[in-house]
Amino acid sequence: MSGNKEISTPTIQRTNEIMSEMLHAADTLKKIGIAVSVFGSARITSESPYYALGEALGKGLAQAGFVVIAGGGPGLMEAANKGAFESGGTSVGLHIKLKREAKSNSYLSIDLPFQHFLSRKATFFMHSTAYVVLPGGFGTLDELFEALTLIQTGKVPPGPVILVGKSFWGGMFDWIREQLLGLELINPIDPDLFFIEDDPVKIVDHLKEFYRTHPDLAKQVGNKPI
């Protein structure tokens, strides 16, 4: 066997695909401005009050000058994209094809398809300055805790992580404070960076004020202050 022959394995192929997706996303989003990721369930229908809340958040963020990044699929991802898109803002969808999410929603200024969760998640955190988390299941929880982990370990610039829905998130938030913080398993929580809020107007106002007083944080991810 020749020592110069290149060997391709499934692992190498997947790695190349992941890198290609990340590079394409980085090139596409390099000049989008200050972006906020909105996470939430694909399973919640348009009849749910949470859908209306997600749409109001997307609208408010877009009107305040933020780019909205969501998963590009149905449910609360669609709600956030719809609010931003119909308000004339930039609505980004990082869509990964799944059984429940066979196609991207119809409210996207930029539609980025992904085959791999790793490259998709990296794109969220490389291009967002804040994270707004609506109710969701395992995928949403995964995104939430990765955002908190990356911020607390200094791998991404600090930015607000806002849980939307006190009745949904309240018990988990209390557990985090009582158990994780109480046992000193995590760093002290900055109330300006991690909190629960139901009012979309207050959420948008908090983000506007945060980046008015911390313009350097937006620049750390290559985006311009609003």
Side-chain angles (χ1 to χ4, degrees):
M1 177 188 240
S2 171
N4 295 324
K5 186 177 180 180
E6 292 186 5
I7 300 174
S8 180
T9 67
T11 299
I12 291 173
Q13 183 177 346
R14 284 194 297 271
T15 301
N16 289 336
E17 290 172 355
I18 288 166
M19 291 300 297
S20 177
E21 288 183 344
M22 290 176 63
L23 288 169
H24 175 62
D27 185 61
T28 303
L29 302 178
K30 62 186 176 183
K31 295 182 179 180
I32 59 170
I34 293 188
V36 175
S37 279
V38 181
F39 301 130
S41 175
R43 299 171 184 248
I44 290 179
T45 67
S46 58
E47 289 75 32
S48 168
Y50 285 125
Y51 187 99
L53 185 56
E55 191 173 346
L57 277 165
K59 178 180 179 179
L61 289 167
Q63 291 178 339
F66 293 102
V67 172
V68 171
I69 302 179
L76 297 183
M77 296 178 283
E78 177 186 283
N81 285 139
K82 181 181 179 182
F85 186 82
E86 293 189 341
S87 299
T90 301
S91 171
V92 180
L94 309 184
H95 178 247
I96 190 163
K97 189 173 181 180
L98 302 171
K99 184 177 180 180
R100 187 176 289 275
E101 304 169 37
K103 62 180 181 178
S104 55
N105 66 61
S106 303
Y107 305 101
L108 303 176
S109 312
I110 300 172
D111 185 358
L112 280 170
F114 290 85
Q115 292 294 327
H116 300 278
F117 275 110
L118 181 58
S119 46
R120 179 178 183 254
K121 286 173 64 179
T123 299
F124 274 118
F125 300 118
M126 288 171 63
H127 298 280
S128 300
T129 54
Y131 311 92
V132 177
V133 191
L134 290 152
F138 289 141
T140 301
L141 290 170
D142 179 43
E143 291 157 345
L144 165 62
F145 282 109
E146 179 146 357
L148 293 171
T149 299
L150 292 172
I151 290 169
Q152 285 229 324
T153 55
K155 297 302 182 181
V156 297
V161 179
I162 305 170
L163 304 177
V164 185
K166 292 179 181 178
S167 61
F168 184 86
W169 295 110
M172 188 197 75
F173 193 78
D174 291 341
W175 175 80
I176 289 172
R177 287 186 300 185
E178 292 167 8
Q179 298 297 324
L180 303 187
L181 189 58
L183 294 171
E184 299 183 349
L185 302 177
I186 59 174
N187 297 334
I189 296 173
D190 183 342
D192 282 339
L193 293 182
F194 185 47
F195 60 95
I196 304 177
E197 179 55 64
D198 286 344
D199 187 342
V201 174
K202 291 182 179 178
I203 291 170
V204 173
D205 285 347
H206 178 82
L207 293 173
K208 288 166 62 179
E209 181 61 23
F210 185 86
Y211 287 107
R212 271 198 293 265
T213 56
H214 299 81
D216 55 314
L217 294 179
K219 291 177 182 177
Q220 289 183 47
V221 290
N223 295 322
K224 300 176 181 178
I226 57 175

